[in-house]
Amino acid sequence: MRTFTKTYDHPLLQQRSLAHQAWLTGVNPDVRTPRVVEQRPGEIVYEHLDGRHAGPADLVALAGLLGRQHTAAYFRELVHARLDASFTSGGTITLDGFIDGRRERLRHLLTSESVPEPALTLEAVEGWLQKAAGMPAAFYKDANPRNFLVNGAIVAVIDFDSLTLAPFGYDLAKLVVSTTMTSGPLVQETVQEALDTYNGHPRSRGLPGCTRREFAAWCEFHHALTAPYLGTNGYRFGWHTARPGWTTDVLRQPDEELAP
Ligand SMILES: Nc1ncnc2c1ncn2[C@@H]1O[C@H](COP(=O)(O)OP(=O)(O)OP(=O)(O)O)[C@@H](O)[C@H]1O
Ligand SMILES: [Mg+2]
């Protein structure tokens, strides 16, 4: 059987990645992930999955997948989670909260002026973090286009190294920002369609989903957090040069806050 081996420098990171995958397949049993064939010190051997990385043409379908995953995870477990705390599931796996680690990293990036043309000030970031504390919990699994393998109509999710709690829409924002940074500006209507498709899942079950304004804020979080990787990982376009205009417009208009 063809396999794919991933190496780890630290046993703790390897164990966490395996635990993340086990948790995800528990809350999203219908989502394809590679079977773990073998674990060795410093290595996880997975079955090899055929497929290509995701691209702009996959955005709306992947938004649907993420919306479905997050909504299922919420109703199975995360209804009990708070975004400002870590969440332990089954006494075995702990997902880090959304706020503490990100606050520190965002503060560092914004005060060291390493973020080109940020659309959020440090104070605005703090406001959004505080607001997030009261939002329903979904998760962040680093939805960059290299962490999906697309094979016809079948999409597999791979790479379980990062998994934290996050608001609804946050991992979709990661997909939009990282796809833009990889492939260049997206059609603005496609981004809106992706957000609508994503929101169809939580909203059909009575959850608020993610407003345009929240989505725009999470895009700016990812801009700050991903900007240091520009020029690596296939990231050729800065979000500040390619972001859809409506995302910055909506952040400048506080009175749109209550609009869907
Ligand atoms: N089970 C698998 N079958 C086939 N290819 C795989 C598999 N797992 C990973 N890959 C390939 O290896 C790449 C890197 O894997 P992974 O995302 O787990 O590592 P990474 O260190 O996060 O790399 P990156 O920063 O590029 O995402 C994937 O984008 C994919 O092309
Ligand atoms: Mg990866």
Side-chain angles (χ1 to χ4, degrees), residues 108-116 224 227-228:
H108 168 75
L109 288 163
L110 287 164
T111 52
S112 61
E113 296 187 359
S114 11
V115 184

Side-chain angles (χ1 to χ4, degrees), residues 107-227:
R107 261 191 199 155
H108 168 75
L109 288 163
L110 287 164
T111 52
S112 61
E113 296 187 359
S114 11
V115 184
E117 298 174 33
L120 291 179
T121 61
L122 198 56
E123 294 70 34
V125 164
E126 184 55 36
W128 280 106
L129 286 170
Q130 284 175 18
K131 215 169 164 186
M135 292 177 177
F139 61 81
Y140 165 78
K141 195 203 98 28
D142 188 6
N144 74 56
R146 307 175 310 283
N147 287 342
F148 297 93
L149 289 175
V150 182
N151 187 356
I154 299 171
V155 178
V157 302
I158 55 172
D159 188 356
F160 310 97
D161 295 350
S162 304
L163 184 66
T164 73
L165 300 178
F168 276 83
Y170 186 79
D171 216 9
L172 177 65
K174 175 64 184 260
L175 179 64
V176 166
V177 170
S178 55
T179 300
T180 301
M181 290 177 69
T182 306
S183 304
L186 301 171
V187 177
Q188 305 213 16
E189 291 73 20
T190 306
V191 179
Q192 180 64 55
E193 190 186 350
L195 181 58
D196 292 343
T197 302
Y198 176 90
N199 276 330
H201 292 271
R203 289 181 179 166
S204 71
R205 299 191 65 184
L207 286 169
C210 176
T211 66
R212 279 159 63 87
R213 200 169 140 73
E214 288 162 3
F215 180 76
W218 307 145
C219 285
E220 291 306 312
F221 274 43
H222 291 298
H223 170 44
L225 295 165
T226 317

Side-chain angles (χ1 to χ4, degrees), residues 41-114:
E43 288 183 346
I44 304 174
V45 182
Y46 295 98
E47 69 171 310
H48 182 279
L49 296 178
D50 291 331
R52 57 165 177 81
H53 292 164
D58 305 306
L59 200 63
V60 174
L62 292 184
L65 173 67
L66 290 174
R68 187 159 58 84
Q69 281 190 285
H70 295 170
T71 305
Y74 177 85
F75 284 104
R76 278 180 195 259
E77 293 215 8
L78 298 179
V79 59
H80 304 295
R82 282 190 53 93
L83 286 175
D84 59 354
S86 57
F87 174 72
T88 301
S89 168
T92 51
I93 173 185
T94 297
L95 305 190
D96 287 341
F98 177 63
I99 294 175
D100 288 348
R102 279 185 184 81
R103 173 182 280 133
E104 208 175 304
R105 181 97 186 109
L106 287 163
R107 261 191 199 155
H108 168 75
L109 288 163
L110 287 164
T111 52
S112 61
E113 296 187 359
S114 11

